[in-house]
Amino acid sequence: MSDAALSRPRVAFPPNWPARIGFIVLIAYVAYASTILDFTWDRFMRGLGQGANLLARMFPPDFAADKMALLYVGMTESLQIAIIATVVGVLLSLPLGLAAARNLAPRPLAWAARALIALFRSLHPVIVAILFVKSVGFGALAGILALIVASLGFLSKLVAESVEEMSMKPVEAVRATGSPFLSVVIMSVIPQVIARFIGFSAYQLDSNLRNSALVGIVGGGGIGSTLLTAFQRFDYDFVLTIVLAIIAIVMVGEVLSGWMRRMFQ
Amino acid sequence: MTTADVSAGRPRQWQRFSLPERIMRSAFYFVVVLAVIWSLRTIEIIPEFLYDAPQQTVDLFVRMWPIDWGWYPKVVHAALLETLHTATLGTILAVALAAPVALMVARNITRSIILNSVGRFILVATRSVHAMVWALFFVALFGPGALAGMLAIAVHSIGFTGKFLAEAIEEAKPGPIEALTAAGASPLAILIKGYWPQVKPAFLAIATFRWDINVRESAVLGLVGGGGLGMALDTALNNLYWDQVGLVLVVIFGIVIVAEIATAWIRSRII
């Protein structure tokens, strides 16, 4: 070590120049993108003023009897949409997931199934709902179909992954007895993946419950349409009631699905 | 089981689950069946709409084809850039907002159950209200445009980002922290030099993963006035220009795939 290096005081944590430059680039990007998107301080402050106004109109939440009846109708419909979509999605995702598992299905079938799953996964439920509203009309059915597609994308991918990770020994054992394919699936594949699958299904019920509030905004029925109507009528105190109800039901759903997962572990 | 049972020739009965477990499981299946029957019986489906569903579906795709590529340079390109900026800025703001909440939730940093629960409530509340509902709010505040979309993305992402960030902080090893405490480091120094290096890989993974989700979300926020591709989609839908709708859908599909590939690449490179 040279004398110059020795005489310099030792620094416990030397400056990390790449990190600093990265941070500066990040700040520059934020400034650039903010100007592109036309964010101004003035606009922000005006919005905050508006926000105080809006909050004042939201409180207290509206619990009038006629509004509660509307809320009840919307919520039950959302719940029904979520339940039907989850059950149908769960039932359909087993065959689709099996078809996409490369250790069981023939190659061309597996690739076709994987492409289908990728398509389902990359389409946002709202976009799928718009397309279904056009083909089956306004109402709960469009919402159900959109959420089935979303559930299929998520669950089939996880089924395929679990099947690919499972042990092949039971499969070989059952095959050695000369069983047909369906027996192989029932006796050796399902027992290995069912516990994880139920966990995923519980999560999907949760997420369908959340998304069922969403598909209504584009005409898919349920609490989302109630919410959009309330917004369009500037009925902000009822909006707050609906949002609180959504938060409550999502929290209950999270507790229930956690409970369900523990039961089947 | 006694030897008498075996010698009496009674076959052994093996049970995988105990009696309470079996009762719970049967009750669960019963509730599921009940819920499905209730839903199917009471849901309102208008059968008249279903008769022409196949024709309507075919009509939908016929109208979309051929796709109106000429619309891309006019409107859709700018909308695409706006969506990408919205998603990126929204993610950056979300991370900045989620970090203090995560610190509040992490039990090894904030040793107060009340503060932990307050933080946890913020995380659950922001997460359970969907980005689109947040967008409705922010459009009411700031008017339609990318600002409302960006804030909706940011606020909705707090829950997800904060939850995983808090878990990463809780998993940090106490060794370096104890060493820094013993050396008399200030709380801020402990945070920066003790926790941050341990949390950094998880932090980058969470941020990129959330960015991927946010690209998808911000593409549809325009439907309620959040700017970007959704706005172009809404215009095309309202004008019934299905060939333009087709174009926007193809662009959204493309950007979602690109974002997924990009995040997978980043994750394999830095983490």
Side-chain angles (χ1 to χ4, degrees), chain A residues 29 51 58 80 121-122 134, chain B residues 42 56 85 137 141 216 253:
Chain A
Y29 168 76
M58 274 184 175
Q80 290 164 340
R121 270 166 51 78
S122 53
K134 160 79 171 122
Chain B
T42 48
Q56 289 283 352
H85 285 312
F137 268 113
L141 292 186
R216 272 160 223 248
F253 186 67

Side-chain angles (χ1 to χ4, degrees), chain A residues 23-93:
Chain A
F23 198 65
I24 291 167
V25 169
L26 191 71
I27 290 176
Y29 168 76
V30 170
Y32 162 77
S34 306
T35 44
I36 290 259
L37 296 186
D38 193 26
F39 300 162
T40 56
W41 188 247
D42 175 47
R43 204 170 149 203
F44 190 71
M45 290 320 281
R46 233 182 314 149
L48 285 189
Q50 195 86 22
N53 196 356
L54 191 71
L55 279 180
R57 287 178 61 180
M58 274 184 175
F59 280 99
D62 190 351
F63 292 120
D66 57 326
K67 294 290 161 64
M68 291 316 275
L70 272 179
L71 180 74
Y72 178 75
V73 170
M75 267 301 176
T76 38
E77 194 172 44
S78 269
L79 207 59
Q80 290 164 340
I81 291 174
I83 290 172
I84 297 176
T86 310
V87 169
V88 177
V90 162
L91 293 181
L92 289 180
S93 70

Side-chain angles (χ1 to χ4, degrees), chain B:
Chain B
M1 184 168 285
T2 60
T3 42
D5 286 339
V6 177
S7 56
R10 215 173 290 158
R12 277 167 184 255
Q13 288 277 328
W14 293 104
Q15 295 284 351
R16 191 169 163 204
F17 301 109
S18 65
L19 186 65
E21 274 179 336
R22 268 182 293 151
I23 292 175
M24 287 291 276
R25 282 174 183 239
S26 310
F28 169 75
Y29 292 131
F30 183 69
V31 170
V32 169
V33 171
L34 218 61
V36 172
I37 292 174
W38 168 72
S39 308
L40 285 176
R41 284 182 65 106
T42 48
I43 193 128
E44 259 180 74
I45 287 173
I46 303 164
E48 285 77 16
F49 281 180
L50 278 180
Y51 298 141
D52 66 339
Q55 290 99 296
Q56 289 283 352
T57 313
V58 172
D59 181 54
L60 176 80
F61 287 106
V62 169
R63 280 170 193 243
M64 276 190 195
W65 200 261
I67 286 170
D68 182 9
W69 296 105
W71 203 46
Y72 182 81
K74 275 181 245 160
V75 176
V76 179
H77 184 70
L80 174 65
L81 287 183
E82 195 171 90
T83 289
L84 282 177
H85 285 312
T86 308
T88 316
L89 274 183
T91 312
I92 293 171
L93 186 60
V95 169
L97 292 174
V101 185
L103 289 177
M104 199 159 111
V105 168
R107 277 184 296 256
N108 52 350
I109 295 203
T110 310
R111 298 185 191 280
S112 147
I113 293 172
I114 300 168
L115 280 179
N116 288 344
S117 330
V118 170
R120 228 162 256 286
F121 176 76
I122 296 175
L123 295 187
V124 175
T126 50
R127 200 154 36 113
S128 35
V129 178
H130 213 283
M132 224 148 156
V133 179
W134 281 116
L136 283 171
F137 268 113
F138 287 119
V139 168
L141 292 186
F142 299 103
L147 179 61
M150 193 272 283
L151 288 173
I153 289 280
V155 173
H156 177 64
S157 308
I158 291 177
F160 176 95
T161 326
K163 179 171 183 263
F164 287 105
L165 213 52
E167 277 169 15
I169 295 173
E170 283 182 351
E171 278 165 19
K173 289 198 195 75
I177 317 301
E178 281 164 17
L180 280 165
T181 318
S186 67
L188 188 67
I190 292 178
L191 219 52
I192 294 173
K193 297 300 179 190
Y195 284 103
W196 170 242
Q198 297 194 58
V199 174
K200 198 170 142 192
F203 174 83
L204 291 174
I206 296 163
T208 45
F209 187 54
R210 190 66 221 183
W211 178 76
D212 182 21
I213 299 174
N214 283 347
V215 170
R216 272 160 223 248
E217 296 280 341
S218 59
V220 295
L221 282 185
L223 289 167
V224 292
L229 283 170
M231 206 87 116
L233 184 63
D234 197 38
T235 315
L237 278 170
N238 287 340
N239 292 337
L240 298 177
Y241 289 160
W242 285 93
D243 46 354
Q244 296 184 348
V245 173
L247 172 70
V248 178
L249 290 184
V250 167
V251 170
I252 291 179
F253 186 67
I255 191 65
V256 166
I257 300 278
V258 168
E260 201 164 317
I261 293 171
T263 45
W265 183 77
I266 292 173
R267 239 177 296 175
S268 66
R269 280 293 300 275
I270 53 171
I271 299 150

Side-chain angles (χ1 to χ4, degrees), chain A:
Chain A
M1 203 178 273
S2 68
D3 288 343
L6 271 178
S7 61
R8 218 179 294 146
R10 280 180 57 192
V11 182
F13 299 106
N16 182 353
W17 282 108
R20 288 189 184 182
I21 291 169
F23 198 65
I24 291 167
V25 169
L26 191 71
I27 290 176
Y29 168 76
V30 170
Y32 162 77
S34 306
T35 44
I36 290 259
L37 296 186
D38 193 26
F39 300 162
T40 56
W41 188 247
D42 175 47
R43 204 170 149 203
F44 190 71
M45 290 320 281
R46 233 182 314 149
L48 285 189
Q50 195 86 22
N53 196 356
L54 191 71
L55 279 180
R57 287 178 61 180
M58 274 184 175
F59 280 99
D62 190 351
F63 292 120
D66 57 326
K67 294 290 161 64
M68 291 316 275
L70 272 179
L71 180 74
Y72 178 75
V73 170
M75 267 301 176
T76 38
E77 194 172 44
S78 269
L79 207 59
Q80 290 164 340
I81 291 174
I83 290 172
I84 297 176
T86 310
V87 169
V88 177
V90 162
L91 293 181
L92 289 180
S93 70
L94 271 175
L96 186 59
L98 277 176
R102 279 169 296 194
N103 52 351
L104 287 183
R107 271 290 149 96
L109 179 65
W111 284 114
R114 277 172 176 264
L116 193 64
I117 293 173
L119 181 69
F120 286 169
R121 270 166 51 78
S122 53
L123 292 175
H124 196 282
V126 169
I127 292 177
V128 182
I130 291 174
L131 296 181
F132 276 122
V133 166
K134 160 79 171 122
S135 45
V136 299
F138 286 97
L141 186 62
I144 292 174
L145 291 172
L147 291 185
I148 288 175
V149 169
S151 312
L152 269 181
F154 179 77
L155 289 174
S156 313
K157 181 165 189 272
L158 292 169
V159 169
E161 275 171 9
S162 321
V163 170
E164 283 178 0
E165 279 167 18
M166 75 179 184
S167 158
M168 284 303 278
K169 284 175 183 164
V171 178
E172 282 160 20
V174 178
R175 269 189 191 148
T177 64
S179 312
F181 182 72
L182 195 64
S183 307
V184 173
V185 169
I186 293 174
M187 301 312 291
S188 66
V189 177
I190 303 242
Q192 291 195 62
V193 297
I194 192 76
R196 285 180 73 187
F197 182 63
I198 287 180
F200 298 145
S201 308
Y203 175 79
Q204 188 60 39
L205 177 65
D206 221 56
S207 128
N208 278 348
L209 210 57
R210 241 186 300 241
N211 283 342
S212 67
L214 194 67
V215 291
I217 295 179
V218 292
I223 193 73
S225 16
T226 323
L227 182 68
L228 188 65
T229 316
F231 252 110
Q232 282 167 344
R233 290 185 183 163
F234 305 108
D235 218 350
Y236 288 122
D237 42 0
F238 186 39
V239 165
L240 184 62
T241 319
I242 297 174
V243 169
L244 289 177
I246 293 176
I247 294 179
I249 208 157
V250 167
M251 277 180 176
V252 170
E254 240 163 70
V255 170
L256 279 183
S257 72
W259 185 65
M260 201 168 127
R261 256 184 301 235
R262 266 196 303 282
M263 194 160 88
F264 279 88
Q265 230 139 47

